[in-house]
Amino acid sequence: MKIVDIFSHRNGRDILGSPNFSPAFNEFVSVLIKLPPYRAGKPKKTSSKHVISPGAMNRWLDNELCVKRDWDWHPLVIETDPADKQHKSQLRSDFRKARIEVEVQFGNVARYAYDVYKMAISLALGQADVGIQVVCTKKFAEITGGNIAYYERAVRELERSRLTVIVPLVVIGIEPEQWIFDAYPPEAQAPNVTAKTINQARAARGEPPVPNEADRENDLSLAYIRRVAAGVLG
């Protein structure tokens, strides 16, 4: 994978380049550039042009960062609503290390904005000091899916939000080194990473386990966002 550009918002790049953060930031970048552009195993309903498997890329990152290395996997941002017995209202990020919050978004553009919102909460609660947002370039997004978050749009919106979005972060735009789709590895070759896999690796490092429900949340309802906001502000 190629890093096409890195956009710094609210001095995010300067913070990540400082001694307290640069080792973890450099480690993350060294992993990211090795990310394979996994090819979907079957044609997508959205379009035959959408050949990429975001899920496979996410699993590869899970394995590289949280099994082979010591990044936190889907760390908790806000605990579940007490009335939610199924824990669906938990708010989690993708990765965290050395007080760097990481969100990797290969999905819908609405989720990119939600990721920035999660970073703001995590920083407000003292769980992180700076964020990293990874998204496709527009060209890469066009072969990944419909209405996918992409770098150029994220930068355009953040540039106009400097006074309202006060989270220090960087946005990293990535795309494949080459565009021969048949050369991309099939998604079946991506590692199968679960909470059990993560916990086996964490136990070997002497780290506490992550809960089995630590999965990427799918609830983007207005009611859910209001509950999260109420929890932070209350």
Side-chain angles (χ1 to χ4, degrees), residues 182-200:
D182 288 343
Y184 298 166
E187 63 178 336
Q189 292 183 5
N192 183 24
V193 181
T194 63
K196 181 178 180 180
T197 311
I198 298 291
N199 283 331
Q200 288 173 343

Side-chain angles (χ1 to χ4, degrees), residues 141-157:
E142 288 173 347
I143 65 168
T144 300
N147 201 29
I148 298 295
Y150 61 91
Y151 176 80
E152 294 85 349
R153 176 172 175 174
V155 169
R156 186 173 67 248
E157 293 176 355

Side-chain angles (χ1 to χ4, degrees), residues 24-194:
F25 176 59
N26 292 336
E27 179 183 50
F28 179 78
V29 170
S30 71
V31 170
L32 185 63
I33 60 176
K34 298 175 184 177
L35 173 63
Y38 284 103
R39 187 177 72 251
K42 57 183 180 181
K44 295 186 179 182
K45 295 180 180 180
T46 51
S47 171
S48 60
K49 296 179 181 179
H50 300 156
V51 299
I52 297 298
S53 171
M57 294 194 297
N58 284 327
R59 293 195 303 274
W60 187 90
L61 286 170
D62 288 344
N63 188 61
E64 291 293 322
L65 293 172
C66 305
V67 175
K68 296 182 179 181
R69 297 168 180 81
D70 60 347
W71 287 72
D72 288 337
W73 184 66
H74 303 179
L76 190 67
V77 176
I78 294 181
E79 187 53 85
T80 186
D81 184 332
D84 177 15
K85 303 304 181 183
Q86 295 182 334
H87 298 272
K88 289 185 177 181
S89 60
Q90 282 185 338
L91 193 65
R92 295 182 177 275
S93 62
D94 285 340
F95 309 105
R96 187 186 295 149
K97 182 177 179 178
R99 299 185 62 79
I100 301 172
E101 196 88 358
V102 178
E103 296 286 353
V104 179
Q105 189 51 256
F106 300 134
N108 188 279
V109 68
R111 297 200 65 85
Y112 149 73
Y114 191 55
D115 286 344
V116 175
Y117 173 68
K118 286 193 290 182
M119 286 184 191
I121 295 174
S122 190
L123 268 66
L125 294 177
Q127 297 164 343
D129 296 316
V130 63
I132 299 173
Q133 175 77 65
V134 178
V135 290
C136 303
T137 61
K138 184 176 183 180
K139 184 177 180 180
F140 190 24
E142 288 173 347
I143 65 168
T144 300
N147 201 29
I148 298 295
Y150 61 91
Y151 176 80
E152 294 85 349
R153 176 172 175 174
V155 169
R156 186 173 67 248
E157 293 176 355
L158 282 172
E159 285 177 334
R160 291 158 175 78
S161 306
R162 181 170 177 78
L163 297 180
T164 53
V165 179
I166 61 173
V167 181
L169 62 94
V170 297
V171 182
I172 302 179
I174 62 171
E175 67 182 28
E177 291 279 358
Q178 48 89 5
W179 299 92
I180 304 173
F181 302 156
D182 288 343
Y184 298 166
E187 63 178 336
Q189 292 183 5
N192 183 24
V193 181
T194 63

